[in-house]
Amino acid sequence: MRVVALVSGGKDSCYSMQLCKQHGHDVVALANLLPEESAPDELDSFCFQTVGHQLIGAYAACMGIPLFRKRISGTSSVQDLGYTPTEGDEVEDLYQLLAYVKENVPGIQAVASGAIASDYQRLRVENVCSRLNLVSLAYLWHQPQRLLLRGMVESGVEAILVKVACLGLHPRKHLGRTIAAMEPALLSLADAYGCNVCGEGGEYETLTLDCPVFTRGSIVLDEFE
């Protein structure tokens, strides 16, 4: 199938694209939701990662496919697990973005996402897909997180931590480190405190600099703070 991939900049959405290709699908476009210009870099969103959105534009160049973006004007107004279309909710921003992609990219049949454990997120993506007659592809869904992280590292996903928010992770020590370097520490934290190895509890956020689907280049950080 011809697929548009939802990308946040994190490791999960990039690994999802890789698995799509392994299953014979063709990722032909990228879609991303980002904050309004006047909004903080990190929105109080129940559904979307916006940390690191400044580098998403480079993904299109690294893959040689078009990127479609929309600013998030809605909020997490419907916070129940189930979702019905609601004006002013951020899910409608996703609907509008994917509707635009479908109109402008011939033959789009499916949407790939990096959902692992959040029913809240998965059900919203599926709701939008059903309204647009698109198939939802979530190859990471309910996979064991230790195996997922190991698979990402072994496959060559180079992603760095850009946010930490749990006991045992420290900004000055861990920000900027790769998931490969952090894997032993994350496994230890999981054993000690029950943390989610892949960060599904909000323990950390990542930004992908290189991965197998980046066939035309990779991202190099000159500096960061």
Side-chain angles (χ1 to χ4, degrees):
M1 290 188 289
R2 287 169 61 81
V3 177
V4 53
L6 297 177
V7 290
S8 63
K11 65 187 187 329
D12 302 336
S13 55
C14 288
Y15 192 49
S16 171
M17 287 192 286
Q18 186 175 332
L19 294 180
C20 279
K21 292 195 171 233
Q22 289 178 9
H23 284 81
H25 303 301
D26 189 13
V27 178
V28 297
L30 306 174
N32 170 255
L33 290 164
L34 71 160
E36 297 277 11
E37 289 186 17
S38 60
D41 285 345
E42 183 178 17
L43 293 181
D44 185 18
S45 169
F46 281 40
C47 204
F48 308 120
Q49 173 189 329
T50 57
V51 175
H53 68 84
Q54 296 89 345
L55 287 183
I56 295 293
Y59 284 24
C62 289
M63 296 182 66
I65 59 177
L67 167 66
F68 297 85
R69 309 189 79 178
K70 184 185 185 306
R71 295 195 180 274
I72 301 173
S73 60
T75 62
S76 305
S77 57
V78 179
Q79 298 177 10
D80 298 332
L81 182 59
Y83 178 78
T84 55
T86 303
E87 184 177 353
D89 192 277
E90 62 186 357
V91 176
E92 298 310 300
D93 290 310
L94 177 62
Y95 174 83
Q96 293 165 20
L97 173 61
L98 291 179
Y100 183 82
V101 175
K102 187 177 180 182
E103 286 179 6
N104 288 272
V105 181
I108 288 288
Q109 300 164 285
V111 176
S113 68
I116 295 176
S118 170
D119 280 307
Y120 182 95
Q121 181 187 56
R122 176 184 62 84
L123 289 171
R124 278 154 174 74
V125 173
E126 289 180 352
N127 177 280
V128 169
C129 287
S130 66
R131 289 154 64 189
L132 292 170
N133 196 28
L134 295 169
V135 177
S136 174
L137 299 176
Y139 286 112
L140 279 58
W141 182 247
H142 276 190
Q143 296 299 308
Q145 292 191 31
R146 291 171 183 256
L147 294 179
L148 268 181
L149 185 63
R150 180 93 291 267
M152 293 178 195
V153 171
E154 289 180 346
S155 72
V157 174
E158 181 187 349
I160 60 170
L161 271 63
V162 291
K163 173 187 173 182
V164 293
C166 83
L167 183 68
L169 293 179
H170 308 285
R172 293 187 181 276
K173 181 178 180 181
H174 296 125
L175 287 180
R177 297 191 68 190
T178 65
I179 56 172
M182 286 298 300
E183 186 179 14
L186 293 171
L187 293 175
S188 295
L189 288 175
D191 292 335
Y193 306 119
C195 295
N196 292 274
V197 171
C198 285
E200 283 297 284
E203 292 88 346
Y204 65 94
E205 302 283 6
T206 60
L207 180 68
T208 302
L209 303 181
D210 197 11
C211 63
V213 297
F214 287 7
T215 56
R216 297 195 178 187
S218 60
I219 299 169
V220 177
L221 298 181
D222 295 324
E223 60 180 322
F224 64 88
E225 62 178 330

